[in-house]
Amino acid sequence: MRVTRVTNASLSRAARSAEFTVIDGPDAGMVVAIPAVGAVVGAGAGADIELSDRSVSGRHVSISPGPNGFTITDLGSRNGTFIDGVAISKATAPPGTVVRIGHTLFALTPADDSLTLPPSEASQFGAMRGTSPAMRQVFAVLERACQSDASILCLGESGTGKELAARAVHDQSPRKDGPFIVFDCGASTENLIESDLFGHVRGAFTGAVSDRDGAFALAHGGTLFLDEIGDLPLHLQPKLLRLLEAGEVIPLGSRKPQRFDVRVVAATHRDLYAEVARGGFRGDLYYRLAVVEVHLPPLRARSGDLPGLIAHFLTRLGRADLAAQVPGARLDRLLQYQWPGNVRELRNVMARAVALAGPNDDVASLPYLLRAAAAEPPASSAPRVRADRPFHEAKEDAVLAFERAYLEDLLEQAGDNLSHAARVAGVERKFLYKLLERTGLRARGANPDGAPEQD
């Protein structure tokens, strides 16, 4: 049996069990299906998955998917098989595990399954509002997920409403009478984050004069929203994974585990899949958090929702008279703006406009203060960067602008063939899909393999 390179579209679900993805080495970007019976990886013709890395033995390692992860067996290779820098002869590893053989680094993940739910009939979910297809799809997923205790991972740019989604899930879940606790993984100092999250006992460290409950203890019986989970230090991720899997954790300085009944909703603006590939986030924790993964679209990708959101914010600000003018009003400037800060920025723009409104202003003439488009700098000079807002916001906007410009040119050069585009960019297709989703782009008239779409 020989396993060939495949694409998501060309491989039947029944034949797939897992995926082998090369993330570094001569074959970087290779994505190969691992059937349920397993596969042998090596550099020789006798291997099921053949690599071009000459430092890999002919039949180097075998991989067998199972209910508890992957059984990885070194087949007497010359250079060994390593997980987290430790040589193994045989090991069972969870999904997301990154393995090194020779000069090749590869990840093992479950095969992708696409689940398409009918769009929700609702125009809002909790405090989130929208009638666009993108938002109604988000509502459909959250409406179903909120009735279970499954972990949810919300992905999206800053300001897209990830905390609102978490709050709505809690409020419409069987845990609605329990506490809803917000913990920002990026706001706590590295020295205190373990105590803030898991609690500590008296004497655990200098200044610990009494026992203290952490965020999990405070959320017992309810929901814990872990904001910016991508900022959680690597050394704490195994402890969080243990709590999610076993429901218990040992507070800092204690020897006795404590059990907590908590539903976790996590969120980040980072691309966690890419972080897993780079080694900045544990793959097993990613898959444990992303039992249900929800992508919240940026406001520029749902511009049809803008008039309704404007009317909503005007009403909340006590100007129902202006909100009534929104249908039919000329709002070209607002509709053409890219909204880098998303719905949060729109809310602030509307609050500022109402505060500065004159007695004769109508909804079209309100003093909307938008970020000025930067003039194109001379070719010989670097673009001017204004320090008029927080560093992380300015950096996110700069990175997003680069990604969008790069991807637009990449798609044009590749003729909207995503397989070819991924090869040109030197990234795996999954990563390219996530970048396109993050920037609100799509290959025009093509499916993920570059073939014309069919109704």
Side-chain angles (χ1 to χ4, degrees):
M1 177 200 67
R2 181 175 183 79
V3 179
T4 56
R5 300 189 190 195
V6 297
T7 65
N8 291 355
S10 63
L11 183 69
S12 69
R13 293 288 173 213
R16 304 177 67 201
S17 177
E19 281 185 348
F20 169 99
T21 304
V22 179
I23 56 180
D24 192 24
D27 300 289
M30 175 193 283
V31 180
V32 181
I34 304 176
V37 295
V40 172
V41 182
D48 299 318
I49 301 175
E50 186 177 342
L51 302 176
S52 61
D53 185 351
R54 295 299 99 187
S55 62
V56 171
S57 298
R59 289 171 57 86
H60 196 114
V61 66
S62 69
I63 303 167
S64 298
N68 298 318
F70 299 87
T71 299
I72 304 169
T73 305
D74 185 88
L75 301 177
S77 64
R78 300 189 307 271
N79 298 325
T81 301
F82 298 84
I83 297 177
D84 293 333
V86 178
I88 60 103
S89 56
K90 185 174 183 178
T92 299
T97 293
V98 176
V99 182
R100 179 176 290 281
I101 56 174
H103 299 308
T104 295
L105 202 64
F106 64 85
L108 300 172
T109 59
D112 279 350
D113 287 322
S114 60
L115 176 62
T116 302
L117 298 176
S120 172
E121 296 295 327
S123 60
Q124 68 179 90
F125 182 75
M128 296 189 297
R129 295 170 178 268
T131 57
S132 62
M135 287 306 292
R136 289 172 57 213
Q137 193 68 52
V138 169
F139 297 163
V141 174
L142 294 178
E143 285 167 356
R144 297 197 184 192
C146 69
Q147 298 305 314
S148 73
D149 273 342
S151 299
I152 298 176
L153 178 62
C154 297
L155 302 174
E157 299 174 15
S158 295
T160 50
K162 298 185 290 292
E163 184 173 341
L164 294 181
R167 165 64 77 172
V169 164
H170 172 76
D171 289 343
Q172 298 190 35
S173 75
R175 295 175 175 266
K176 61 184 178 181
D177 295 326
F180 177 78
I181 302 297
V182 177
F183 183 85
D184 190 338
C185 298
S188 186
T189 65
E190 189 160 351
N191 292 335
L192 295 177
I193 188 170
E194 183 174 4
S195 170
D196 292 341
L197 196 54
F198 305 113
H200 68 251
V201 298
R202 179 181 177 182
F205 52 86
T206 303
V209 297
S210 62
D211 293 355
R212 181 191 175 195
D213 288 336
F216 273 94
L218 297 175
H220 182 65
T223 303
L224 176 61
F225 175 54
L226 296 176
D227 198 10
E228 294 305 340
I229 189 67
D231 292 338
L232 185 68
L234 263 174
H235 72 276
L236 291 183
Q237 293 179 21
K239 196 166 186 177
L240 175 58
L241 180 64
R242 167 72 179 170
L243 195 153
L244 293 173
E245 291 184 336
E248 64 179 27
V249 71
I250 299 176
L252 188 62
S254 176
R255 295 183 179 179
K256 182 179 179 181
Q258 293 184 3
R259 297 194 64 82
F260 300 114
D261 174 24
V262 176
R263 198 262 182 85
V264 171
V265 180
T268 181
H269 71 282
R270 297 177 183 270
D271 185 339
L272 277 196
Y273 188 82
E275 291 294 322
V276 170
R278 287 193 289 264
F281 199 85
R282 288 181 62 110
D284 46 7
L285 179 57
Y286 167 78
Y287 286 106
R288 186 61 183 81
L289 290 169
V291 176
V292 178
E293 186 172 298
V294 182
H295 294 259
L296 297 177
L299 186 54
R300 63 183 171 277
R302 44 182 288 229
S303 57
D305 289 335
L306 200 59
L309 290 171
I310 291 171
H312 169 67
F313 286 130
L314 286 172
T315 301
R316 283 183 55 184
L317 292 164
R319 295 303 304 267
D321 57 320
L322 293 176
Q325 300 174 16
V326 171
R330 289 192 59 83
L331 302 171
D332 296 350
R333 187 174 172 223
L334 298 180
L335 291 170
Q336 294 169 6
Y337 185 58
Q338 289 296 299
W339 299 105
N342 295 295
V343 180
R344 182 186 294 124
E345 182 182 9
L346 173 62
R347 179 194 64 196
N348 294 340
V349 165
M350 299 311 300
R352 190 183 303 119
V354 168
L356 301 178
N360 298 321
D361 277 325
D362 59 16
V363 70
S365 64
L366 284 173
Y368 300 115
L369 300 181
L370 306 177
R371 298 179 189 177
E376 185 174 348
S380 59
S381 66
R384 175 176 172 80
V385 177
R386 298 185 61 84
D388 57 354
R389 53 204 172 103
F391 171 80
H392 72 277
E393 288 188 8
K395 182 179 177 182
E396 285 173 16
D397 289 351
V399 170
L400 184 63
F402 162 77
E403 289 177 351
R404 187 176 182 87
Y406 179 89
L407 292 172
E408 285 176 342
D409 189 61
L410 177 67
L411 292 176
E412 183 177 348
Q413 290 188 40
D416 288 330
N417 184 309
L418 297 191
S419 297
H420 178 58
R423 290 193 294 271
V424 171
V427 300
E428 53 185 285
R429 294 194 332 160
K430 263 187 203 174
F431 185 39
L432 179 59
Y433 298 157
K434 290 181 179 291
L435 282 177
L436 290 171
E437 187 169 19
R438 165 179 160 80
T439 54
L441 292 174
R442 184 183 180 190
R444 295 173 294 277
N447 68 18
D449 298 310
E453 290 186 339
Q454 298 180 4
D455 293 334

